[in-house]
Each structure stands twice: as C-alpha cells, then as structure tokens.
Amino acid sequence: MLEPHVRAILEAIGEDPSREGLLKTPARVARAYEVLTSGYGQDPKAIINGALFVEDYSEMILCRDIDFFSLCEHHLLPFFGKAQVAYIPKHHIIGLSKLARLVEVFARRLQVQERMTTQIASTLMEELDALGVGVVLKAEHLCMRMRGVEKQNSVVVTSAMLGSFRTRQATRQEFMTLLQNNRG
Ligand SMILES: [Zn+2]
C-alpha cells in the first residue's frame, strides 16, 4: 500500500495531509504509480511472441517517433521523449503496434535511459531472431531540468545497435538517413 507512505511524504515536506486539497492526494498518487510502474507486471517477450508473422522481407523496418514516458530510478522524476526502433528481419516480422507496446512496457518501470535502450534492442533481437536491431531514444529528464543541474534544455540521446546495425556501416547509415528524412 502506497497511500500511507505518500501521506508520510506530505508530512515530511511540511504539508498538512488533512487539508482539503490534499485529502485524496495519497489515493491519487497511489493510482498514478500503479499505471506508471505497470511494466513490472508485463512480460515483454510475450508481447512479441504473440504477434510474429512469417514474411519473406529482409529490408529495414522502422517505427518512428514512439512517444514514451518513464521515471528515472535515481529521483523518481519523469523522463520522456521519443523512441526510434528499427530492425531487419530474418524470418519474422512483428506488428508495428507491438513495437510501441514493447517500448511502453520497459518505460513503465523505474529506469535509466541507457538500460531502457538496451533492453528494447536486445529483447527484439532475441525474440525476433532478427538480422539486426537499432534503437535510438531521445529524452528530456525532469530531474535535470527542474533541479537546474547541467544544461536546462539538454536532451539525452542514447542508442543501441545490434547485429548488422553494429557490424555494417551501410546499415547504420541507412538507419540514420531514415531518421533524418521528413523531419517536419
Ligand atoms: Zn534522475
């Protein structure tokens, strides 16, 4: 139960949890955290395995600008941005909506952006048995921006390249070119 702990935080910061505006806050915060950390209860591998299609296609597939919202595990403050997820299939392709679901399952846990990037890439690589996977995450971290540390407007970019995305310069280049095209 999260509610008594939220009440304790309110008291610790000098608030009065019994004043009208805060009466329902512990319950609301508890419900919000349930959603924001719902990724712990979900198996990322099951999401992929339930949506594989055999397809004779061996070109790059890119799902762009997947919005994500996560919580940094150091401050429990949000970091959020967009994920770019690409892969080159070997035997199987996956429904595009599942790529967004995969990002969401990892985002809805306490995270560091670097680990989240690697988790998305390696889960896809393993479960799809793909020729290669490339993942780029761009995010703003409120723990940096709100607390005024480092550069106020800095965006953190992380990437994970596996298989042919790591070994073939041409593949990496194609990925980067696709990411830059049609930027509106
Ligand atoms: Zn942080």
Side-chain angles (χ1 to χ4, degrees), residues 58-78:
S58 57
E59 300 297 327
M60 190 175 298
I61 297 168
L62 167 64
C63 191
R64 253 172 51 169
D65 293 341
I66 302 170
D67 284 314
F68 71 86
F69 299 85
S70 191
L71 291 172
C72 93
E73 69 181 20
H74 301 135
H75 306 93
L76 304 188
L77 286 172

Side-chain angles (χ1 to χ4, degrees), residues 8 92 101 132 149 157:
H92 294 100
R101 282 279 296 129
V149 288
V157 183

Side-chain angles (χ1 to χ4, degrees), residues 72-174:
C72 93
E73 69 181 20
H74 301 135
H75 306 93
L76 304 188
L77 286 172
F79 69 96
F80 56 93
K82 290 187 188 300
Q84 320 293 336
V85 180
Y87 69 99
I88 300 178
K90 200 190 281 178
H91 330 280
H92 294 100
I93 62 167
I94 182 179
L96 285 177
S97 65
K98 302 298 176 182
L99 293 176
R101 282 279 296 129
L102 184 67
V103 169
E104 186 180 79
V105 164
F106 285 119
R108 290 192 168 180
R109 301 172 179 200
L110 301 187
Q111 280 289 7
V112 293
Q113 187 178 330
E114 293 86 342
R115 185 177 65 227
M116 185 176 146
T117 312
T118 313
Q119 284 174 332
I120 295 166
S122 57
T123 305
L124 258 188
M125 189 71 183
E126 284 166 28
E127 298 308 306
L128 269 180
D129 188 26
L131 285 177
V133 170
V135 176
V136 175
L137 260 51
K138 278 187 195 175
E140 295 178 45
H141 291 245
L142 291 190
C143 62
M144 287 165 63
R145 298 196 59 174
M146 291 179 76
R147 298 188 313 142
V149 288
E150 312 204 14
K151 293 233 168 63
Q152 279 290 310
N153 292 310
S154 58
V155 171
V156 178
V157 183
T158 49
S159 71
M161 305 286 168
L162 301 176
S164 56
F165 282 70
R166 177 175 286 275
T167 55
R168 288 194 69 233
Q169 170 70 26
T171 301
R172 228 172 23 240
Q173 192 54 51
E174 183 187 349

